[in-house]
Amino acid sequence: MTFKEAEFVPMLFGGDINTYSVARAFYEQYQVQSHVFGKYANGPSCGSKITIYHANEKIDTDEIFMKAVRTFCKRNSDKKVLTIGCGDSYVALISKHKDEFPENAIAPYIDFELMDSLQQKELFYSLCDKHGIDYPDTYIYHKEDYPADGNVTAPVLEFSYPVILKPSNGINYWEHEFPTQEKVYLIPDEKKMREVIKDIYEAGYEDSLIIQDTIPGNDEYMRVLTSYSDRNGKVKMMCLGHVLLEEHTPHGKGNHAVIITEPQEELMEKVKALLEDLHYIGFSNFDIKYDSRDGKYKFFEINTRQGRSNYYVTGSGFNVAKYFVEEYIHGVDLPYETAKEEHLWLVVPKAVALKYVHDPLNKEKLERLLKEGKYVNPLFMKGEDSPVRNLRMLKQHYSHYNKYKKYYE
């Protein structure tokens, strides 16, 4: 494995599959090695040949984050430093402090005020109303609704149980850990609703909760849309993926496990209009579910970054690193393009995918793309001969057999 000298160096923040997927995109497109800054010495980027990993448990705090950026930019004063967040908290830090960055640092993100408001799901739903984008029936439970004595009354809903409950502010939510904490809750009745609301606010969470109608259907009804908008707020790339399988562990619930790229032009055009109306900059990522009751695609949220499954975009022929480099380093005005060909992305063993994907048409697509070799697992790259790292990844890879057996319903 060889690397080339370039006029830029990627500085990636995070520790999960997102960082490794972006680092792999940088290596495959430009043969450069990325520097990854994460909290702990684990994850797919740690020990990789294509990254240099820096662990610091306080990297997600303002002071340590800014110290890392300034130090790294000074050490690489002869290069442009592309600062890329691979998690909500890191994206927020970059956006919040980008005006304080050294001159050679590049931060391809919207201003913090807009980013912060978009990460509150309430604003996103008002934008959906404006642009004719559908979303599930929703009730907002405000922090002020929580009684001082903790004696919670379940809200009166216009839709029936079971319902979905999730925090409006994901960053603040994960800053307040508690034993029963989950990424998304499926609430079967009022009793459970009261218990979950109490657990969340007693842990110290400070924002609203989103309570939504449960859209019927398993993982195979899900979609994911990734877009890139240039510095002028023009959308330059859109790639829609049909999710066939998600993770089902408490902390991983909703994370994508199997995706097939497929086009849906009408859906993408609505989102394109929303992003350009916002004058949005950088990568955006949307979670969507098809509602068989009315034939509509319902949007759940916007992530102001590339998603953790972003290599499904690169694998489909739209290398995510290219958009940062060609615009901000080479000054290229990129053409608008959308993904139109099927391609399979998966992070679970093939046997797990084949067992838990149920719809006959989806399974046929899955089997065909596997047979044709039109698939990729982003965690295992040819030439990544890092024994300790690879052993750790293999152990995690095969753990999905037990995880799906235990959690998948």
Side-chain angles (χ1 to χ4, degrees):
M1 185 173 284
T2 57
F3 300 97
K4 291 182 180 178
E5 277 296 315
E7 65 270 46
F8 67 91
V9 56
M11 185 182 193
L12 315 181
F13 292 92
D16 65 3
I17 186 176
N18 196 324
T19 59
Y20 187 77
S21 297
V22 175
R24 179 170 173 175
F26 271 108
Y27 176 74
E28 291 177 336
Q29 188 76 20
Y30 302 103
Q31 291 74 56
V32 298
Q33 196 172 31
S34 296
H35 286 256
V36 178
F37 292 75
K39 294 183 75 171
Y40 308 110
N42 56 23
S45 288
C46 185
S48 165
K49 295 287 187 182
I50 62 172
T51 69
I52 297 173
Y53 194 82
H54 310 262
N56 188 322
E57 291 187 18
K58 296 184 178 180
I59 191 63
D60 60 348
T61 62
D62 294 72
E63 181 183 354
I64 301 302
F65 169 80
M66 279 304 299
K67 183 179 179 181
V69 171
R70 291 188 179 116
T71 301
F72 188 77
C73 287
K74 187 175 181 179
R75 287 176 182 168
N76 294 275
S77 58
D78 59 331
K79 299 177 185 292
K80 295 290 186 182
V81 177
L82 282 164
T83 57
I84 299 171
C86 298
D88 289 334
S89 60
Y90 298 111
V91 169
L93 282 167
I94 295 172
S95 179
K96 181 180 178 182
H97 294 290
K98 63 179 182 174
D99 292 339
E100 307 165 46
F101 280 7
E103 283 189 16
N104 62 324
I106 295 172
Y109 293 98
I110 52 178
D111 290 338
F112 181 70
E113 185 178 353
L114 175 58
M115 178 175 289
D116 189 50
S117 61
L118 283 175
Q119 288 184 348
Q120 317 304 310
K121 296 177 178 63
E122 294 169 64
L123 172 66
F124 174 64
Y125 296 135
S126 68
L127 290 168
C128 287
D129 286 332
K130 180 179 178 181
H131 291 277
I133 294 173
D134 298 297
Y135 58 93
D137 291 340
T138 299
Y139 179 96
I140 308 296
Y141 187 95
H142 298 282
K143 174 69 184 294
E144 305 82 69
D145 299 332
Y146 185 72
D149 61 4
N151 188 20
V152 180
T153 301
V156 178
L157 306 175
E158 294 183 1
F159 42 93
S160 58
Y161 289 92
V163 299
I164 297 295
L165 183 148
K166 57 191 175 184
S168 177
N169 186 335
I171 295 174
N172 183 256
Y173 177 69
W174 290 111
E175 287 173 348
H176 299 88
E177 295 184 12
F178 55 94
T180 59
Q181 191 173 33
E182 296 189 20
K183 185 178 178 181
V184 178
Y185 296 85
L186 180 63
I187 308 293
D189 51 40
E190 288 190 1
K191 180 176 181 293
K192 185 66 174 178
M193 175 73 77
R194 292 192 296 270
E195 291 174 0
V196 170
I197 291 174
K198 185 178 177 66
D199 286 347
I200 291 173
Y201 284 116
E202 289 298 311
Y205 178 63
E206 299 166 348
D207 215 321
S208 303
L209 297 173
I210 306 295
I211 302 169
Q212 291 182 321
D213 179 31
T214 301
I215 298 175
N218 62 12
D219 300 349
E220 297 171 64
Y221 287 76
M222 294 297 299
R223 304 293 190 277
V224 56
L225 176 62
T226 301
S227 303
Y228 179 80
S229 303
D230 69 11
R231 70 177 86 200
N232 298 313
K234 296 297 182 183
V235 175
K236 295 297 185 177
M237 183 277 296
M238 305 191 89
C239 184
L240 182 71
H242 183 174
V243 180
L244 301 188
L245 197 62
E246 295 180 339
E247 292 184 33
H248 289 266
T249 59
H251 278 209
K253 190 180 294 182
N255 289 339
H256 304 138
V258 180
I259 299 171
I260 292 179
T261 303
E262 64 178 30
Q264 229 288 9
E265 293 297 332
E266 183 181 352
L267 188 69
M268 292 191 287
E269 280 300 317
K270 287 183 178 181
V271 177
K272 183 174 183 286
L274 181 151
L275 291 169
E276 293 187 348
D277 184 35
L278 275 173
H279 203 76
Y280 186 89
I281 295 171
F283 275 98
S284 55
N285 177 261
F286 301 83
D287 290 322
I288 310 161
K289 190 170 186 180
Y290 177 73
D291 192 337
S292 59
R293 297 170 299 184
D294 56 15
K296 295 178 179 179
Y297 290 93
K298 306 289 177 69
F299 280 65
F300 292 130
E301 61 187 358
I302 179 175
N303 295 305
T304 54
R305 54 174 169 78
Q306 73 287 346
R308 72 190 302 280
S309 56
N310 67 80
Y311 201 87
Y312 90 88
V313 181
T314 297
S316 299
F318 302 87
N319 186 291
V320 296
K322 178 187 75 174
Y323 295 93
F324 293 121
V325 174
E326 295 308 304
E327 180 178 10
Y328 289 93
I329 305 299
H330 298 156
V332 176
D333 183 14
L334 298 162
Y336 174 63
E337 51 190 356
T338 61
K340 293 181 172 63
E341 294 184 10
E342 290 181 340
H343 190 272
L344 171 64
W345 171 97
L346 73 170
V347 290
V348 295
K350 298 172 189 176
V352 170
L354 290 167
K355 179 176 181 179
Y356 292 100
V357 172
H358 298 308
D359 182 90
L361 290 176
N362 291 334
K363 182 167 282 193
E364 184 277 326
K365 282 185 183 180
L366 177 64
E367 291 173 338
R368 174 171 51 80
L369 291 170
L370 286 170
K371 185 177 180 180
E372 292 173 356
K374 295 179 180 178
Y375 69 93
V376 66
N377 184 322
L379 296 171
F380 300 100
M381 186 182 73
K382 187 177 181 181
E384 182 70 273
D385 54 344
S386 313
V388 174
R389 182 258 178 201
N390 289 351
L391 183 62
R392 190 170 70 247
M393 291 299 99
L394 282 170
K395 183 178 178 181
Q396 182 187 55
H397 185 66
Y398 289 113
S399 72
H400 286 296
Y401 284 102
N402 287 330
K403 287 177 180 176
Y404 279 89
K405 184 177 181 181
K406 181 176 180 180
Y407 292 108
Y408 187 82
E409 295 178 0

Coordinates of all heavy atoms in Angstrom, one line a residue, residues 126-174:
S126 N -41.2 21.7 9.8 CA -41.8 22.9 9.2 C -41.4 23.1 7.8 O -42.1 23.6 7.0 CB -41.6 24.1 10.1 OG -40.2 24.5 10.1
L127 N -40.1 22.8 7.5 CA -39.5 22.9 6.2 C -40.2 21.9 5.3 O -40.4 22.2 4.1 CB -38.0 22.8 6.2 CG -37.2 23.9 6.8 CD1 -35.8 23.4 7.1 CD2 -37.3 25.1 6.0
C128 N -40.4 20.7 5.8 CA -41.1 19.7 5.0 C -42.5 20.2 4.6 O -42.9 20.0 3.4 CB -41.2 18.4 5.8 SG -39.7 17.5 6.0
D129 N -43.2 20.8 5.5 CA -44.6 21.4 5.2 C -44.5 22.4 4.0 O -45.3 22.3 3.1 CB -45.2 22.1 6.4 CG -45.6 21.1 7.5 OD1 -46.0 20.0 7.1 OD2 -45.6 21.5 8.6
K130 N -43.4 23.2 4.0 CA -43.3 24.2 3.0 C -43.0 23.6 1.6 O -43.5 24.2 0.6 CB -42.1 25.1 3.4 CG -41.8 26.3 2.4 CD -40.7 27.1 2.9 CE -40.4 28.2 1.8 NZ -39.2 29.1 2.3
H131 N -42.3 22.5 1.6 CA -41.9 21.9 0.3 C -42.7 20.7 -0.1 O -42.3 20.0 -1.0 CB -40.4 21.7 0.3 CG -39.6 22.9 0.3 ND1 -39.2 23.6 -0.8 CD2 -39.0 23.6 1.4 CE1 -38.5 24.7 -0.5 NE2 -38.4 24.7 0.8
G132 N -43.8 20.4 0.6 CA -44.6 19.3 0.2 C -43.9 17.9 0.4 O -44.2 17.0 -0.3
I133 N -43.1 17.9 1.4 CA -42.4 16.6 1.8 C -43.2 16.0 3.0 O -43.4 16.6 4.0 CB -40.9 16.9 2.1 CG1 -40.2 17.4 0.9 CG2 -40.3 15.6 2.7 CD1 -38.8 17.8 1.2
D134 N -43.5 14.7 2.8 CA -44.3 14.0 3.8 C -43.5 13.6 5.0 O -42.3 13.2 4.8 CB -45.0 12.9 3.2 CG -46.0 13.3 2.1 OD1 -47.0 14.0 2.4 OD2 -45.8 12.9 0.9
Y135 N -44.1 13.5 6.2 CA -43.4 13.0 7.4 C -44.5 12.4 8.2 O -45.7 12.7 8.1 CB -42.6 14.1 8.1 CG -43.4 15.3 8.6 CD1 -44.0 15.3 9.8 CD2 -43.6 16.4 7.7 CE1 -44.7 16.4 10.3 CE2 -44.3 17.5 8.2 CZ -44.8 17.5 9.4 OH -45.5 18.6 9.8
P136 N -44.1 11.5 9.2 CA -45.2 10.8 10.0 C -46.0 11.8 10.9 O -45.5 12.9 11.2 CB -44.3 9.9 10.9 CG -43.0 9.8 10.2 CD -42.8 11.0 9.5
D137 N -47.2 11.5 11.2 CA -48.0 12.3 12.2 C -47.1 12.4 13.4 O -46.6 11.4 13.9 CB -49.3 11.6 12.5 CG -50.2 11.6 11.3 OD1 -50.0 12.5 10.4 OD2 -51.2 10.8 11.3
T138 N -47.0 13.6 13.9 CA -46.0 13.9 15.0 C -46.6 14.7 16.1 O -47.4 15.6 15.9 CB -44.8 14.7 14.3 OG1 -44.2 13.9 13.3 CG2 -43.8 15.1 15.4
Y139 N -46.2 14.4 17.3 CA -46.5 15.2 18.5 C -45.2 15.6 19.2 O -44.3 14.8 19.3 CB -47.3 14.3 19.5 CG -47.7 15.0 20.8 CD1 -48.9 15.7 20.9 CD2 -46.8 15.1 21.9 CE1 -49.3 16.3 22.1 CE2 -47.1 15.7 23.0 CZ -48.3 16.3 23.2 OH -48.7 17.0 24.3
I140 N -45.1 16.9 19.5 CA -43.8 17.4 20.2 C -44.1 17.5 21.7 O -45.0 18.2 22.1 CB -43.4 18.8 19.6 CG1 -43.4 18.8 18.1 CG2 -42.1 19.2 20.2 CD1 -42.3 17.9 17.5
Y141 N -43.3 16.8 22.4 CA -43.4 16.8 23.9 C -42.3 17.8 24.3 O -41.1 17.5 24.2 CB -43.2 15.5 24.5 CG -43.4 15.4 26.0 CD1 -44.7 15.1 26.6 CD2 -42.4 15.7 26.9 CE1 -44.9 15.0 27.9 CE2 -42.6 15.7 28.3 CZ -43.8 15.4 28.8 OH -44.0 15.3 30.2
H142 N -42.6 18.9 24.9 CA -41.6 19.9 25.2 C -41.1 19.7 26.7 O -41.8 19.2 27.5 CB -42.2 21.3 25.1 CG -42.6 21.7 23.7 ND1 -41.7 22.1 22.8 CD2 -43.8 21.7 23.1 CE1 -42.4 22.3 21.6 NE2 -43.6 22.1 21.8
K143 N -39.9 20.1 26.9 CA -39.3 20.0 28.2 C -40.2 20.7 29.3 O -40.3 20.1 30.4 CB -37.9 20.6 28.3 CG -37.2 20.7 29.6 CD -36.8 19.3 30.1 CE -36.3 19.3 31.5 NZ -35.0 20.0 31.6
E144 N -40.8 21.8 28.9 CA -41.7 22.5 29.9 C -42.9 21.6 30.3 O -43.6 21.9 31.3 CB -42.2 23.8 29.3 CG -41.1 24.7 28.8 CD -40.6 24.4 27.4 OE1 -41.3 24.5 26.4 OE2 -39.4 23.9 27.3
D145 N -43.3 20.6 29.4 CA -44.4 19.7 29.7 C -44.1 18.8 30.9 O -45.0 18.1 31.4 CB -44.8 18.9 28.5 CG -45.3 19.8 27.4 OD1 -45.8 20.9 27.6 OD2 -45.1 19.4 26.2
Y146 N -42.8 18.6 31.1 CA -42.4 17.6 32.2 C -42.6 18.2 33.5 O -42.1 19.2 33.9 CB -40.9 17.2 32.0 CG -40.4 16.1 32.9 CD1 -40.9 14.8 32.7 CD2 -39.6 16.4 34.0 CE1 -40.5 13.8 33.6 CE2 -39.2 15.4 34.9 CZ -39.6 14.1 34.6 OH -39.2 13.1 35.5
P147 N -43.4 17.5 34.4 CA -43.8 18.0 35.7 C -42.6 18.0 36.7 O -41.7 17.1 36.6 CB -44.9 17.1 36.2 CG -44.6 15.8 35.4 CD -44.1 16.2 34.1
A148 N -42.5 19.0 37.5 CA -41.4 19.2 38.5 C -41.4 18.0 39.4 O -40.3 17.6 39.9 CB -41.6 20.5 39.3
D149 N -42.5 17.4 39.7 CA -42.5 16.3 40.7 C -42.2 14.9 40.0 O -42.2 13.9 40.6 CB -43.8 16.2 41.4 CG -45.0 16.0 40.5 OD1 -44.9 15.8 39.3 OD2 -46.2 16.0 41.1
G150 N -42.0 14.9 38.7 CA -41.8 13.7 37.9 C -43.0 12.8 37.7 O -42.8 11.7 37.2
N151 N -44.1 13.3 38.1 CA -45.4 12.5 37.9 C -45.9 12.7 36.5 O -46.8 13.5 36.3 CB -46.4 12.9 39.0 CG -47.6 12.0 39.0 OD1 -47.5 10.8 38.5 ND2 -48.7 12.4 39.6
V152 N -45.4 11.9 35.6 CA -45.7 12.2 34.2 C -47.1 11.7 33.8 O -47.5 10.7 34.2 CB -44.6 11.4 33.3 CG1 -44.9 11.7 31.8 CG2 -43.2 11.8 33.6
T153 N -47.7 12.6 33.0 CA -49.0 12.2 32.4 C -48.7 12.0 30.9 O -48.1 12.8 30.2 CB -50.0 13.3 32.5 OG1 -50.2 13.6 33.9 CG2 -51.3 13.0 31.8
A154 N -49.2 10.8 30.4 CA -48.9 10.5 29.0 C -49.7 11.5 28.1 O -50.9 11.8 28.4 CB -49.4 9.1 28.6
P155 N -49.0 12.1 27.0 CA -49.7 13.0 26.2 C -50.9 12.4 25.4 O -50.9 11.2 25.1 CB -48.6 13.5 25.2 CG -47.6 12.3 25.2 CD -47.7 11.8 26.6
V156 N -51.9 13.2 25.1 CA -53.0 12.8 24.3 C -52.6 12.8 22.8 O -52.3 13.9 22.3 CB -54.3 13.6 24.6 CG1 -55.4 13.2 23.7 CG2 -54.6 13.6 26.1
L157 N -52.6 11.7 22.2 CA -52.2 11.6 20.8 C -53.4 11.4 19.8 O -54.4 10.8 20.2 CB -51.2 10.4 20.6 CG -50.0 10.4 21.6 CD1 -49.2 9.1 21.4 CD2 -49.1 11.7 21.3
E158 N -53.2 11.9 18.6 CA -54.2 11.7 17.6 C -53.9 10.5 16.7 O -54.6 10.2 15.7 CB -54.3 13.0 16.7 CG -54.8 14.2 17.4 CD -54.9 15.4 16.6 OE1 -54.7 15.3 15.3 OE2 -55.3 16.5 17.1
F159 N -52.9 9.7 17.1 CA -52.6 8.5 16.4 C -52.5 7.4 17.5 O -52.2 7.7 18.7 CB -51.4 8.6 15.5 CG -50.3 9.4 16.1 CD1 -49.2 8.7 16.8 CD2 -50.2 10.7 16.0 CE1 -48.2 9.4 17.4 CE2 -49.1 11.5 16.5 CZ -48.1 10.8 17.2
S160 N -52.5 6.2 17.1 CA -52.6 5.1 18.1 C -51.3 4.4 18.4 O -50.3 4.5 17.6 CB -53.6 4.0 17.6 OG -53.2 3.5 16.4
Y161 N -51.2 3.8 19.6 CA -50.0 3.0 19.9 C -50.0 1.7 19.1 O -51.1 1.2 18.7 CB -50.1 2.6 21.4 CG -49.9 3.8 22.4 CD1 -50.9 4.6 22.8 CD2 -48.6 4.2 22.8 CE1 -50.7 5.6 23.7 CE2 -48.4 5.2 23.6 CZ -49.4 6.0 24.1 OH -49.2 7.0 24.9
P162 N -48.8 1.1 18.9 CA -47.5 1.6 19.3 C -47.0 2.8 18.6 O -47.4 3.0 17.4 CB -46.6 0.4 19.1 CG -47.2 -0.3 17.9 CD -48.7 -0.1 18.1
V163 N -46.2 3.7 19.3 CA -45.6 4.9 18.6 C -44.1 4.9 18.8 O -43.5 4.1 19.6 CB -46.2 6.1 19.3 CG1 -47.7 6.2 19.1 CG2 -45.9 6.2 20.8
I164 N -43.5 5.8 18.0 CA -42.1 6.0 18.0 C -41.8 7.2 18.9 O -42.4 8.2 18.8 CB -41.5 6.2 16.6 CG1 -41.7 4.9 15.8 CG2 -40.0 6.5 16.7 CD1 -41.0 3.7 16.2
L165 N -40.7 7.1 19.8 CA -40.3 8.2 20.6 C -38.8 8.4 20.4 O -38.0 7.4 20.4 CB -40.6 8.0 22.0 CG -40.3 9.2 23.0 CD1 -41.3 9.3 24.1 CD2 -38.9 9.1 23.6
K166 N -38.3 9.6 20.1 CA -36.9 9.9 20.0 C -36.6 11.3 20.4 O -37.5 12.1 20.4 CB -36.5 9.6 18.5 CG -37.2 10.4 17.5 CD -36.9 10.0 16.1 CE -37.8 10.7 15.1 NZ -37.6 10.2 13.7
P167 N -35.4 11.6 20.8 CA -35.0 13.0 21.2 C -35.0 13.9 20.0 O -34.6 13.5 18.9 CB -33.6 12.8 21.8 CG -33.0 11.6 21.1 CD -34.2 10.7 20.9
S168 N -35.4 15.1 20.1 CA -35.3 16.1 19.1 C -33.8 16.5 18.9 O -33.4 16.8 17.8 CB -36.1 17.4 19.4 OG -36.0 18.4 18.4
N169 N -33.1 16.6 20.0 CA -31.7 17.0 20.0 C -30.8 15.8 20.4 O -30.6 15.5 21.6 CB -31.5 18.1 21.0 CG -30.1 18.8 21.0 OD1 -29.2 18.1 20.6 ND2 -30.0 20.0 21.4
G170 N -30.3 15.1 19.4 CA -29.5 13.9 19.6 C -28.2 14.2 20.3 O -27.8 13.3 21.1
I171 N -27.6 15.3 20.1 CA -26.3 15.6 20.7 C -26.5 15.7 22.2 O -25.8 15.1 23.0 CB -25.7 16.9 20.2 CG1 -25.3 16.7 18.7 CG2 -24.4 17.3 21.0 CD1 -24.8 18.0 18.0
N172 N -27.5 16.5 22.7 CA -27.7 16.7 24.1 C -28.2 15.4 24.7 O -27.8 15.1 25.9 CB -28.8 17.8 24.3 CG -29.0 18.1 25.8 OD1 -30.0 17.7 26.3 ND2 -28.1 18.8 26.4
Y173 N -28.9 14.6 24.0 CA -29.5 13.3 24.5 C -28.3 12.4 24.9 O -28.3 11.8 26.0 CB -30.3 12.7 23.5 CG -30.9 11.3 23.8 CD1 -31.9 11.2 24.8 CD2 -30.5 10.2 23.1 CE1 -32.4 9.9 25.1 CE2 -31.0 8.9 23.4 CZ -31.9 8.8 24.4 OH -32.5 7.6 24.7
W174 N -27.3 12.2 24.0 CA -26.3 11.3 24.3 C -25.2 11.8 25.3 O -24.4 11.0 25.8 CB -25.6 10.9 23.0 CG -26.4 10.0 22.1 CD1 -27.0 10.4 20.9 CD2 -26.9 8.7 22.4 NE1 -27.8 9.3 20.4 CE2 -27.7 8.3 21.3 CE3 -26.7 7.8 23.4 CZ2 -28.3 7.0 21.2 CZ3 -27.3 6.5 23.4 CH2 -28.1 6.2 22.3

